[in-house]
Amino acid sequence: MATGRYRTGFGLMTVYLVLVGLIVTMATAFRGALLSLAVQPSWLEALTVSIATVALIWSIVILWSFWLVRPSGAGHNLNLAVAGALCVLVIAPSAYAARVAYLSHDVVTSVFSATSTTPVIAQDPWKGASRVNILLAGADAAPNRVGVRTDSVTVASIDTATGATTLFGLPRNLQRIMLPEGPARDRFPYGFTGEPPATPGLLNEIYQYAEDYPEMVPGVKAGERGATLLKQTISDILGIRVSYYAMVDMAGFAEIIDAMGGVRITIKEPITYGRYGEGLLPAGTRKLSGEDALWFGRSRTNSDDYVRMSRQKCLLNAVAQQADPVTLLNSFENLATATKRAISTDIPADLLPALVDLGQKVKGTHIKSLQFVPPLINTAYPDWHLIKRKVSEALEAKPAVTRRTASRPLTTPSPSPSDNAISLDEVC
């Protein structure tokens, strides 16, 4: 403008204002759509290239403008420094944004499978299903024992229209489990018994057993056999089709929470942990580190598996509610690294946009929980018909979908189980 190039100046100004307006509009009015685009590899690639291109062009405009004005004398060096600083101010945040886009692309392509077995239709990604059921498993591997044990088994049943969610928790010590029809049932016609006397034949052994014995799940490759058999088994137990699974390594879960900056929990009663009870989580509301949060969910000292299951549900609930985009963006690189290392899943990448949209609905509901633990269920001799009936009753209930009160504290639940699905707000 100062050199008389009004057409070029107005053109650049118009482009700048359009870009600013577009960014503000997308970040406010179309935030949900923006989150959906953020998990699509093709859009992430395009975003990375676009950010780099805009930063390059913008820097060229700054340097070109400086060259056109070409101040001389004492002001030359100062103006040159200003032009350089402006270029840095443009390039630095653009480089960071491009790296976030690149890391997002890397996480999506590394953790999630490329495509669904059947095409995902944008207008109806759930193919008319009223609910989607996802198995959430916590894998506890340790140097002093062989294989992986799924010590935490939860199925999240989500209403695809409203986001209303019920968590069904199965104890790790569930016994005499009937495996799906086929080779697995043929091997254990009267219920899963593991390899006695080395193993007692519990629910948490099924994943590793399938990995160790390929004939249990013929035609499925290593690394997927355990999850496949576990999904089929849980589907039969609950009487609902489990479509997908997500398994997190427990140590990796601690890394994810640390990457979030911790998770805020209210501990109602002091929790001791460690082989000899040497650790202590005192009562009160505080932000727990990843290690402390892991002990909050794992400790059985002075309690039992069932109290631990309740705490795990509360911990999952707290993480889901506190993992807002701003918090995650602040430590995105650490979170991306922890996620790739800790999580395995069969959720296809092309379903992620729909899952993100559904996740936004879930955050606005009261999550309910139903745990199949004593006295409701005898883990040694489970009443399979009762489990299916309770699941059916819980899913047939039509609770009102209301907003969660953000300030409501999270506390350790009562160890007494309920026969009916209860809101986690009532126990956490």
Side-chain angles (χ1 to χ4, degrees):
M1 298 286 284
T3 57
R5 290 169 171 79
Y6 298 110
R7 184 177 298 176
T8 303
F10 279 118
L12 290 171
M13 189 179 298
T14 300
V15 170
Y16 174 79
L17 292 175
V18 168
L19 284 174
V20 171
L22 181 64
I23 292 172
V24 171
T25 302
M26 290 296 293
T28 53
F30 298 98
R31 184 179 179 182
L34 197 61
L35 291 174
S36 297
L37 294 178
V39 293
Q40 299 184 43
S42 58
W43 278 97
L44 290 170
E45 291 174 359
L47 180 61
T48 303
V49 173
S50 299
I51 291 172
T53 301
V54 169
L56 178 61
I57 293 175
W58 200 341
S59 298
I60 290 173
V61 169
I62 293 172
L63 296 175
W64 181 30
S65 301
F66 171 77
W67 177 254
L68 290 176
V69 176
R70 285 197 300 275
S72 58
H76 175 77
N77 292 335
L78 177 60
N79 282 280
L80 181 61
V82 170
L86 289 174
C87 289
V88 171
L89 287 175
V90 169
I91 293 174
S94 299
Y96 176 75
R99 177 155 182 78
V100 168
Y102 169 79
L103 290 172
S104 299
H105 178 274
D106 188 37
V107 169
V108 170
T109 55
S110 298
V111 175
F112 300 92
S113 56
T115 56
S116 306
T117 53
T118 58
V120 174
I121 303 172
Q123 292 78 11
D124 185 17
W126 309 114
K127 301 177 177 62
S130 60
R131 305 192 74 87
V132 59
N133 305 305
I134 302 174
L135 170 63
L136 308 174
D140 195 2
N144 61 344
R145 66 182 192 178
V146 179
V148 172
R149 301 292 184 267
T150 53
D151 282 349
S152 176
V153 176
T154 300
V155 171
S157 182
I158 310 169
D159 189 303
T160 56
T162 66
T165 301
T166 301
L167 302 179
F168 297 109
L170 292 171
R172 70 185 185 112
N173 59 337
L174 206 62
Q175 300 180 48
R176 295 175 174 81
I177 301 162
M178 296 303 296
L179 299 181
E181 293 184 358
R185 178 76 61 85
D186 294 341
R187 190 181 186 99
F188 297 100
Y190 305 108
F192 179 69
T193 58
E195 292 290 335
T199 61
L202 307 179
L203 175 63
N204 68 344
E205 301 170 31
I206 292 177
Y207 179 94
Q208 188 61 44
Y209 197 93
E211 290 294 335
D212 292 340
Y213 296 90
E215 64 274 15
M216 293 277 287
V217 195
V220 180
K221 64 182 181 181
E224 297 179 3
R225 291 191 288 261
T228 299
L229 183 59
L230 188 60
K231 281 198 309 180
Q232 294 172 351
T233 302
I234 299 301
S235 294
D236 289 348
I237 291 174
L238 299 180
I240 56 177
R241 181 176 179 269
V242 177
S243 301
Y244 308 103
Y245 88 96
M247 186 169 71
V248 58
D249 172 77
M250 299 305 281
F253 186 61
E255 291 184 34
I256 291 174
I257 290 179
D258 281 333
M260 288 174 50
V263 60
R264 192 167 187 81
I265 293 282
T266 296
I267 304 173
K268 189 173 182 180
E269 301 289 341
I271 299 172
T272 55
Y273 60 86
R275 182 178 297 272
Y276 304 105
E278 63 274 15
L280 174 66
L281 297 177
T285 301
R286 62 180 50 81
K287 180 168 284 190
L288 302 182
S289 66
E291 182 179 1
D292 287 343
L294 192 58
W295 280 116
F296 174 83
R298 291 180 64 185
S299 178
R300 293 193 301 272
T301 306
N302 299 327
S303 60
D304 55 32
D305 274 342
Y306 314 124
V307 172
R308 182 176 73 157
M309 286 174 62
S310 294
R311 290 201 303 262
Q312 289 170 356
K313 302 299 180 298
C314 291
L315 184 58
L316 286 173
N317 184 49
V319 170
Q321 297 302 321
Q322 295 174 38
D324 62 275
V326 174
T327 298
L328 301 184
L329 192 61
N330 287 337
S331 54
F332 191 84
E333 188 158 354
N334 291 335
L335 183 66
T337 301
T339 298
K340 287 196 299 179
R341 186 163 50 239
I343 293 180
S344 59
T345 181
D346 62 351
I347 296 174
D350 52 1
L351 190 64
L352 286 179
L355 199 60
V356 167
D357 290 339
L358 188 59
Q360 296 303 302
K361 296 177 183 178
V362 172
K363 288 176 73 71
T365 68
H366 291 287
I367 299 176
K368 293 185 176 295
S369 176
L370 175 57
Q371 301 186 82
F372 295 106
V373 300
L376 177 61
I377 295 297
N378 182 332
T379 57
Y381 297 92
D383 185 336
W384 305 116
H385 295 292
L386 177 61
I387 291 176
K388 289 184 177 67
R389 179 165 62 84
K390 289 296 182 181
V391 169
S392 179
E393 291 173 356
L395 297 183
E396 286 174 359
K398 299 293 183 182
V401 179
T402 56
R403 284 282 167 188
R404 180 183 302 278
T405 303
S407 60
R408 183 152 189 159
L410 294 165
T411 61
T412 304
S414 166
S416 301
S418 170
D419 284 356
N420 302 306
I422 58 175
S423 171
L424 284 182
D425 280 347
E426 299 173 22
V427 294
C428 293

